[in-house]
Amino acid sequence: MTTRPAPAPTLTVTLTKAGRTKISYPAELVSDTGTRITVRAPWAAEGVRDFGFVRFEPGDVFTEHFWRDRWYAVKEVRTGEGVLKGWYCDVARPAVVEDGRILIEDLDLDLWVSADGTSVLRLDEDEFAESGLAATDPQAAAEAVRALDSLEAQARSASGLTALHA
């Protein structure tokens, strides 16, 4: 009789923005170091999302790294066949992991890094400015800007974003 390994635990990832749930989806736990939790999930939104610089579509697989002590999340994006598309980074408050859920508060700023590392794009800086966070929570706004700067510097370094979760 052969025994199969137990399936990996499933967590629910919930991304909020301005106090509202933006998206919530199941994800398979890959690892949890106590500081960083890594999960894997298929593209969770409906249909295709074409940003111009990348398309997220059904079949894509996201390996997502969330930190309990850092102001960002790094998501490695691959096709269903395993071809690396790149990394999508959300600037967010540190992750809260509780009761089988990963709670993330999106702070608007994002970074996209192409698979070959030649394209590093800062995204949604206009949305961040319009959010009013700098006035309502200046400390969080400063942390968000520092996080985006740090992610961009790491993305442009020789070791790239993979060094963050190696």
Side-chain angles (χ1 to χ4, degrees), residues 15-33:
L15 181 70
T16 62
K17 186 173 176 177
R20 302 168 125 188
T21 297
K22 190 172 169 183
I23 192 167
S24 189
Y25 53 92
E28 177 184 295
L29 177 65
V30 174
S31 67
D32 187 349
T33 68

Side-chain angles (χ1 to χ4, degrees), residues 98-135:
E98 62 184 24
D99 301 326
R101 300 183 319 157
I102 302 173
L103 306 171
I104 306 299
E105 184 182 341
D106 186 356
L107 298 176
D108 291 309
L109 296 172
D110 300 299
L111 188 78
W112 169 254
V113 181
S114 62
D116 63 5
T118 60
S119 178
V120 178
L121 305 173
R122 294 170 71 106
L123 306 170
D124 304 327
E125 290 178 296
D126 54 339
E127 287 180 35
F128 177 73
E130 292 167 9
S131 75
L133 188 64

Side-chain angles (χ1 to χ4, degrees), residues 53-83:
F53 50 86
V54 66
R55 279 172 56 104
F56 296 156
E57 51 203 332
D60 286 351
V61 177
F62 287 64
T63 300
E64 305 177 348
H65 307 276
F66 302 101
W67 284 265
R68 292 171 174 95
D69 63 350
R70 296 185 191 177
W71 288 70
Y72 55 77
V74 176
K75 302 170 181 185
E76 180 186 274
V77 185
R78 294 182 178 271
T79 66
E81 294 76 37
V83 176

Side-chain angles (χ1 to χ4, degrees), residues 134-159:
T136 60
D137 191 342
Q139 183 178 353
E143 289 288 351
V145 170
R146 272 194 291 278
L148 183 63
D149 291 344
S150 173
L151 283 167
E152 181 179 11
Q154 185 63 49
R156 294 183 185 283
S157 75
S159 55

